[in-house]
Amino acid sequence: MKHFINPNDVDSVEELVQLGLELKADPFKFQHLGKNLTMGLVFFNSSLRTRVSTQKAALNLGMNVIVMNVGSDSWQLEFEDGVIMDQGKAEHVKEAAAVLGQYCDVIGVRAFAGLTDRDEDYKEIVLESFRRYAGVPIVNLESATRHPCQSLADLITIEELKKKERPKVVLTWVPHFKPLPQAVANSFAEWVLKTDYEFVIANPEGYDLAPEIRKDALVMHDQAEAFKGADFIYAKNWSSYEHYGQVLTQDRSWAITEERMALTDDAFFMHCLPVRRGLKVADAVIDGPHSAVIQQAGNRVWSVQAAIKKILEARG
C-alpha cells in the first residue's frame, strides 16, 4: 500500500480490519518497521482524536513524529498553478510538500472542505497536491470528502461488538445548526459497502450523498423505518451535496433519542466525535450501556497504525 487516502488504496478491507485488531492485542509487535523513520503530520484544521491517535500509532511503530499546524507553524500555502503570488500566501505547495518529503518518510495531511465549491472540494486539491509533490507516502487524516482513518476504526469497532455475522448498520443524518462536510458520512458509506453488512442510509430529502459514494446502498427518508431491526446506529450530520454546503433543515426529530433507539434490535450507538449533546443525541443514549463512542475513539489508534504499517512494509 503506497498511500492511504481512500479505500481504493487498500487491497483488502477485511484484512486491514483484522490487522487493526491484531495491533490492538500487541501494539509494539512491529516497532522495528519504523526505526529511524519520521512521520510528519500537517494540519490545516483542528483535531483531537486524529492528532493524538496518529502520533501514538506512529510511536508504537518506532517512528519519530513531527507535527505542524499550517498558518501558525508555517507559511500559508498556495495551491493554484500560474498564479502571481503577491497576496497573503507566501509559499507554494510544490515547494512545501517537496521539502517536507525531504524531512519525512511518511506524511499525514488533514484539510477540510471549503463547502462553497463542490467541484473544487471533490477534486481533493490539498491531498492530491501532497501526493503529487511530496515524493513520499501520504496518509489522509481527513480531507474534503473522506476520513478513512475514522472509517477503518468504525469497522474495527463493529467487528468487536457485532452479535451476528451480518449486522444491520444504519448511517443516519442528525441535525446541526451550521453546514458540515460530507467527509465522514462519505467515507463510512464507502468502507461499509466493501463489507457484507446490511447497510442503510437514512437522511431527509435533499441530503442524499453523492451517487458515486452511496452507489446501490438503500437510502431511506424515514428515520424511524430505517432504525427497525438495526444493530448499529451511526449518527452524523452533513450538509447538502445537491444544494452544496447548505443547511436545508434543522429538524430536531432526527436527533437520536431513547425512543428512536428503542426501535432497533438493542443497537449500539456510534459517532465519530466531537458531538453536540442535546442537539444530535440525548445524554441518555450517549451515556448509556450501548454507546460505543469511546471504544470507537480508542480504535482510531489501531486503524491508523494498521495503515502506517502497510505503508512501511511497502517501502521495503
Side-chain angles (χ1 to χ4, degrees), residues 119-191:
D119 291 340
E120 287 298 297
D121 283 345
Y122 274 73
K123 287 177 184 175
E124 292 285 12
I125 291 170
V126 176
L127 264 291
E128 290 305 319
S129 294
F130 273 86
R131 188 208 292 257
R132 182 175 180 183
Y133 299 121
V136 298
I138 302 301
V139 176
N140 182 350
L141 303 181
E142 188 173 359
S143 66
T145 67
R146 292 176 173 87
H147 196 351
C149 296
Q150 179 65 56
S151 301
L152 178 54
D154 298 335
L155 295 193
I156 291 171
T157 306
I158 292 172
E159 282 300 302
E160 288 181 312
L161 294 174
K162 70 181 186 180
K163 299 172 184 175
K164 61 183 71 165
E165 192 60 32
R166 188 171 184 265
K168 179 179 178 180
V169 179
V170 178
L171 168 65
T172 182
W173 181 94
V174 286
H176 198 65
F177 60 89
K178 65 178 182 179
L180 295 181
Q182 294 122 28
V184 171
N186 280 349
S187 198
F188 185 70
E190 281 189 321
W191 284 75

Side-chain angles (χ1 to χ4, degrees), residues 73-93:
D73 298 334
S74 74
W75 306 109
Q76 291 283 357
L77 299 185
E78 178 62 65
F79 288 88
E80 289 190 32
D81 287 331
V83 65
I84 298 174
M85 293 176 57
D86 60 355
Q87 299 298 316
K89 296 177 180 177
E91 185 161 15
H92 203 283
V93 68

Side-chain angles (χ1 to χ4, degrees), residues 112-125 144-146 181-182 186 206-214 239-246:
F112 292 171
L115 292 180
T116 57
D117 187 323
R118 186 174 74 186
D119 291 340
E120 287 298 297
D121 283 345
Y122 274 73
K123 287 177 184 175
E124 292 285 12
I125 291 170
T145 67
R146 292 176 173 87
Q182 294 122 28
N186 280 349
Y207 281 93
D208 289 358
L209 297 174
E212 66 270 22
I213 296 292
R214 67 179 189 266
S239 56
S240 176
Y241 173 81
E242 182 180 356
H243 303 281
Y244 193 65
Q246 294 183 29

Side-chain angles (χ1 to χ4, degrees), residues 20 88 126 143 258 281 299:
V126 176
S143 66
E258 287 183 287
V281 58
N299 284 336

Side-chain angles (χ1 to χ4, degrees), residues 52 57 75 79 89 102 113 116 168 175 189 226 248 266 268 287 289 293 316:
V52 179
W75 306 109
F79 288 88
K89 296 177 180 177
Q102 297 291 300
T116 57
K168 179 179 178 180
L248 306 180
D266 290 325
F268 289 97
D287 292 331
V293 298

